[in-house]
Amino acid sequence: MAIDKKMLIESDPHQVRIAVLEADRLTEIFVERLRHRGVVGNVYKGRVTRVLPGMQAAFVDIGLERDAFLYVSDVVESDVVELDAERVDEAAATEAVGEPADLADPPADLPASGPAAASAERSAANGGERSIEELLQSGQE
């Protein structure tokens, strides 16, 4: 049985109020005063200004007075898929020219070393998360 959901929005010159109703019962309410506008939870398009590997975070210019702070776990998963697709395209192009592709997982009989191994170690240390350096670069939108 589908639950009937409604969103009621009311605004005046001083504030915006949003109520979420499920089966005609209030489940959430948001109040934002215009002089104290928040940015948390909103979606912005910005440009990475600094990547901080030691903090696993980045600063992003979103058009405000100060840059926004973005932690590695807040990076949208679709960006990761997009970056992986670019790596696959690059590997395919490299193989087409006759050069061996960069393998993220070397065969079991070869010792793991180099950037791919370091990346895997960082990922394991971060509980399976990819490092901020792998996901974002300065200047990236």
Side-chain angles (χ1 to χ4, degrees):
M1 179 177 151
I3 296 176
D4 184 35
K5 293 184 180 185
K6 295 178 186 173
M7 183 180 292
L8 306 174
I9 303 170
E10 179 185 45
S11 68
D12 61 41
H14 305 287
Q15 64 186 358
V16 175
R17 291 176 294 279
I18 301 171
V20 178
L21 305 175
E22 292 180 8
D24 291 327
R25 298 188 98 192
L26 180 66
T27 57
E28 295 182 61
I29 188 163
F30 302 95
V31 178
E32 184 174 77
R33 289 177 176 75
L34 296 181
R35 62 186 151 119
H36 297 291
R37 295 195 77 154
V39 295
V40 174
N42 295 340
V43 178
Y44 292 89
K45 180 176 181 180
R47 186 171 303 276
V48 177
T49 56
R50 288 181 59 197
V51 176
L52 306 171
M55 293 178 64
Q56 287 298 301
F59 284 100
V60 181
D61 179 5
I62 59 171
L64 298 176
E65 191 175 312
R66 296 173 56 187
D67 288 352
F69 181 83
L70 186 67
Y71 188 67
V72 67
S73 64
D74 296 328
V75 176
V76 176
E77 190 65 30
S78 65
D79 291 342
V80 175
V81 172
E82 200 173 293
L83 290 172
D84 285 343
E86 289 173 11
R87 290 182 66 199
V88 169
D89 290 344
E90 289 172 8
T94 305
E95 284 181 12
V97 211
E99 298 175 17
D102 180 25
L103 299 175
D105 298 318
D109 57 341
L110 293 177
S113 63
S119 170
E121 287 174 20
R122 278 193 307 272
S123 181
N126 292 338
E129 282 185 1
R130 296 182 61 186
S131 75
I132 194 77
E133 297 167 286
E134 294 174 295
L135 299 172
L136 300 175
Q137 300 164 355
S138 284
Q140 179 181 351
E141 279 192 355

